[in-house]
């Protein structure tokens, strides 16, 4: 896209200089300040705090994003469950907050419900609040621990790759080929409940994932980040990478699909590529329908 290329060109010189600074001797002292892995503490989730905060947060989300949450009855009433969602809206990711509130309201705050997040999220100033709602670092050990204890676990396999996709790919489910969630569900023999969201990519104008910039600055190796997004957002205009922004009040629609039993549908030794294609096709069909239903950007 011409505008995206122009933006890229403007920052290329600075990026190269920064990339040189990140490598070599600078990388070693920087490593002492990098976010470290924090094992999930399932006890940090606080049902009392969730009950107290839920009404006010739901009111705020309702006024700004006018959420329409459908199909919560597809989440099994008992036992461990893996909720798998497409990721939207950059750092703000409105579907994360909306689904936390909706699921906690529907299932009750006492039902164990955890979410996996990138380690940088859990090293942010808001980590204490996220942990109270059950957010733990996206790590296989944490996922195993939550499901082994019979919890509902929510994951977003697309991660930063999907959440910063260009706005014109809003109606595309794109996990970037990541299949770990399938093996996780199969290992623990738990149902997968797909969560499909639309509206998040309209909270700002996402121009590029900036994968080339992440490689240039070695963020993929240092911070486990494959992207340095290029976007236009309030109040910046051209937004600094990973800077919090004021999301446009885009209407968010979330739909939960029927549970998928991998063993029943694909056997004990599944073809993971075929299973991946099947799950994404189901989610894509729903997302395409939601896009057709949508009348106008932001307004919904």
């Amino acid at each position: 896209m011409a505008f995206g290329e122009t933006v890229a060109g403007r920052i290329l010189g600075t990026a190269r200089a920064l990339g040189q600074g990140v490598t070599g001797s600078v990388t070693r002292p920087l490593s002492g300040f990098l976010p470290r892995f924090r094992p999930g503490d399932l006890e940090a989730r606080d049902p009392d705090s969730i009950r107290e905060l839920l009404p006010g947060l739901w009111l705020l989300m309702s006024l700004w994003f006018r959420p329409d949450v459908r199909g919560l009855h597809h989440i099994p009433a008992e036992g461990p469950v893996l909720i798998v969602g497409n990721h939207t809206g950059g750092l703000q990711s409105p579907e994360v907050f909306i689904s936390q509130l909706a699921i906690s309201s529907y299932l009750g705050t006492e039902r164990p419900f955890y979410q996996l997040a990138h380690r940088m999220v859990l090293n942010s100033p808001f980590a204490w609040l996220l942990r109270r709602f059950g957010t733990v670092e996206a790590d296989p050990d944490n996922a195993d621990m939550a499901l082994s204890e019979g919890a509902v676990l929510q994951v977003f396999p697309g991660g930063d790759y999907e959440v910063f996709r260009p706005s014109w790919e809003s109606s595309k489910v794109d996990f970037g080929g990541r299949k770990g969630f399938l093996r996780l569900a199969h290992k623990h023999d738990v149902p997968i409940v797909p969560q499909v969201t639309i509206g998040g990519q309209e909270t700002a104008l996402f121009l590029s994932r900036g994968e080339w910039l992440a490689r240039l600055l070695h963020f993929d190796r240092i911070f486990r980040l494959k992207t340095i997004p290029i976007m236009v957002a309030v109040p910046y205009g051209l937004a600094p990478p990973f800077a919090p922004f004021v999301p446009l009040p885009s209407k968010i629609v979330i739909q939960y699909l029927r549970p998928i039993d991998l063993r029943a549908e694909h056997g004990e030794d599944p073809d993971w590529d075929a299973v991946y294609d099947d799950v994404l096709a189901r989610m894509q069909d729903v997302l395409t329908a939601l896009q057709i239903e949508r009348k106008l950007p932001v307004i919904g």
Side-chain angles (χ1 to χ4, degrees), residues 230-251:
I230 301 171
M231 54 186 288
V232 175
V234 178
Y236 311 102
L238 184 61
F242 306 115
F245 61 92
V246 178
L248 297 177
S250 176
K251 181 175 178 61

Side-chain angles (χ1 to χ4, degrees), residues 185-248:
H186 195 270
K187 171 184 176 181
H188 290 272
D189 195 17
V190 300
I192 290 176
V193 174
Q195 172 186 306
V196 179
T197 303
I198 196 165
Q201 294 317 100
E202 298 169 17
T203 58
L205 178 57
F206 296 89
L207 299 174
S208 170
R209 293 182 175 96
E211 295 170 273
W212 61 274
L213 188 57
R215 291 191 297 270
L216 182 65
L217 299 181
H218 301 284
F219 270 44
D220 53 342
R221 292 187 301 179
I222 298 172
F223 295 110
R224 285 175 41 192
L225 289 170
K226 306 286 185 192
T227 62
I228 297 181
I230 301 171
M231 54 186 288
V232 175
V234 178
Y236 311 102
L238 184 61
F242 306 115
F245 61 92
V246 178
L248 297 177

